[in-house]
Amino acid sequence: LVETHYHNYRVSFLIPECGILSKELKNLVMETGPYYFVKNLPLHELITHEFIHSFVKKGSFYALTYNTNIDEDNTVALLPNGKLILSLDKDTYEETGLQGRPSKYSGRKVMKFIVSIDLMDLSFNLNSKKYERISWSFKEKKPLKFDFLLAWHHTGAEESTVMSHFSSYRIQEHQPKIALSTVTELQCPVLRSSALQGEPEAACSAPELLDWLGAVFSHTELNNEPHNFISTYCCPQPSTVVAKAYLCTITGFILPEKICLLLEQLRHYFDEPKLAPWVTLSVQGFADSPVSWRENEHGFRKGGEHLYNFVIFNNQDYWLQMAVGANDDCP
């Protein structure tokens, strides 16, 4: 599941009863980058023989248009399986002359179209009529340019780098922003791994936990004091107060491969006895990505959310929670 949620902008984990991160976890957190931002990149650069051969075939390459709104703008995403997904408005779609399908979330009057181009398939025959038509469309008929976020996961020798390949464009390397904090006297819900629905006066439910996590990650006060007009939310019951909890949030363009390593390390957290009954790892996707999980079409409508949360218990049971907005295929 982690590997099929491609475009992630925020990863947070919470460890109750923890004051200091282990060296292994801290190293992983510090190594979640890099990613790249490139301005005005022509779309035809993502279908050249050099690009496909150097990056798509030699690892997992991720790209997502930046500052484009999925409901009204043209947006593009490159998936690690080599699929280039274009979400185009009606006029642009007709001008490109490419084959696609109407968006599922257009309503009666179709205003958006989805085009999927398989770069792996194209690369087998770069002299084909199909490749020539797509190349002509991107270069001459309807030259599209976008600001892109890029990231590349690869194994083995680094023969070519993203920076040098796109050096003729304005490209910058970025590291994710990392926020580490210790929360003191945190009121935590009591959970039982076998009780997803909760138990009256014994354990909280999974949906209650997700609400509470949202409040903790947004640094909301949980005391429900009468003079607080911003939030009247308080921790679900039953609850317990933990002396310290460690909260880490990573924000950027974060690869599923890095999240897998974090999840694996959090699983090993309980290899030695710990006071913490559970730990959580939450991941949020970009609201304006054309896909959520795999190639499932994603729309914004009112929120654009697509996220998942793991709760890992000290007995190695785990909960997996997934959420999407109204304009989304169920994952």
Side-chain angles (χ1 to χ4, degrees):
L1 178 114
V2 176
E3 286 170 355
T4 57
H5 193 262
Y6 305 126
H7 303 108
N8 310 292
Y9 86 91
R10 181 170 292 162
V11 178
S12 308
F13 61 82
L14 179 74
I15 309 177
E17 304 288 8
C18 171
I20 300 171
L21 270 196
S22 70
K23 194 169 89 210
E24 293 83 4
L25 252 178
K26 191 148 193 181
N27 287 346
L28 274 182
V29 168
M30 295 304 172
E31 290 164 12
T32 42
Y35 64 96
Y36 306 89
F37 176 62
V38 60
K39 299 245 347 147
N40 290 323
L41 183 70
L43 202 48
H44 73 78
E45 286 286 359
L46 297 182
I47 64 162
T48 64
H49 172 68
E50 295 78 20
F51 174 74
I52 295 171
H53 182 74
S54 303
F55 296 100
V56 178
K57 286 187 167 181
K58 292 188 176 172
S60 303
F61 200 95
Y62 300 80
L64 182 66
T65 46
Y66 185 68
N67 265 346
T68 51
N69 296 327
I70 186 70
D71 287 351
E72 51 194 8
D73 300 331
N74 297 317
T75 59
V76 177
L78 176 59
L79 315 185
N81 60 6
K83 295 277 180 73
L84 187 64
I85 308 288
L86 286 66
S87 174
L88 304 174
D89 62 48
K90 189 170 185 283
D91 291 348
T92 308
Y93 173 69
E94 287 170 357
E95 285 170 49
T96 62
L98 297 172
Q99 278 189 310
R101 60 170 178 80
S103 162
K104 288 183 183 176
Y105 306 112
S106 275
R108 282 186 195 168
K109 194 177 178 187
V110 179
M111 299 307 290
K112 291 288 299 242
F113 287 83
I114 309 298
V115 177
S116 177
I117 298 168
D118 189 339
L119 300 186
M120 292 296 212
D121 183 45
L122 278 188
S123 69
F124 290 125
N125 191 357
L126 292 171
N127 300 318
S128 68
K129 289 257 175 69
K130 186 178 180 183
Y131 182 79
E132 281 174 12
R133 193 178 81 246
I134 294 169
S135 188
W136 170 72
S137 173
F138 288 171
K139 271 185 173 174
E140 296 169 42
K141 191 163 193 301
K142 185 64 180 173
L144 293 168
K145 289 182 179 182
F146 298 96
D147 294 350
F148 272 101
L149 294 172
L150 309 172
W152 186 39
H153 178 81
H154 57 96
T155 50
E158 196 166 332
E159 292 166 26
S160 51
T161 69
V162 177
M163 286 291 279
S164 61
H165 184 82
F166 295 109
S167 58
S168 54
Y169 299 94
R170 285 171 59 197
I171 184 167
Q172 301 166 324
E173 181 176 309
H174 289 276
Q175 291 293 337
K177 287 180 185 165
I178 297 163
L180 306 170
S181 61
T182 307
V183 188
T184 54
E185 302 298 315
L186 179 66
Q187 201 175 0
C188 285
V190 172
L191 305 177
R192 279 193 188 164
S193 62
S194 57
L196 268 168
Q197 305 300 323
E199 289 174 3
E201 296 178 21
C204 296
S205 68
E208 284 176 321
L209 170 80
L210 205 57
D211 280 347
W212 175 81
L213 272 178
V216 173
F217 291 151
S218 26
H219 306 287
T220 307
E221 288 182 20
L222 303 173
N223 46 21
N224 188 17
E225 291 184 351
H227 60 268
N228 188 341
F229 296 108
I230 296 170
S231 168
T232 55
Y233 181 79
C234 55
C235 183
Q237 297 301 324
S239 67
T240 178
V241 175
V242 300
K244 279 182 181 172
Y246 203 92
L247 175 61
C248 170
T249 299
I250 308 162
T251 310
F253 190 49
I254 303 152
L255 298 189
E257 287 86 353
K258 305 283 186 182
I259 298 168
C260 283
L261 294 173
L262 266 178
L263 184 61
E264 191 62 26
Q265 196 59 51
L266 285 170
R267 282 188 57 206
H268 287 299
Y269 183 75
F270 294 114
D271 285 356
E272 292 169 18
K274 297 285 195 306
L275 286 170
W278 44 263
V279 301
T280 71
L281 176 76
S282 302
V283 179
Q284 287 173 290
F286 281 86
D288 290 292
S289 163
V291 294
S292 52
W293 273 270
R294 295 185 176 84
E295 289 164 49
N296 291 354
E297 191 186 333
H298 170 69
F300 191 94
R301 198 174 180 187
K302 291 180 180 173
E305 54 279 307
H306 52 112
L307 58 104
Y308 61 90
N309 179 56
F310 278 98
V311 187
I312 305 154
F313 291 89
N314 54 11
N315 63 355
Q316 288 295 323
D317 282 357
Y318 75 89
W319 291 354
L320 169 59
Q321 298 166 291
M322 292 178 278
V324 287
N327 277 13
D328 252 297
D329 294 359
C330 274

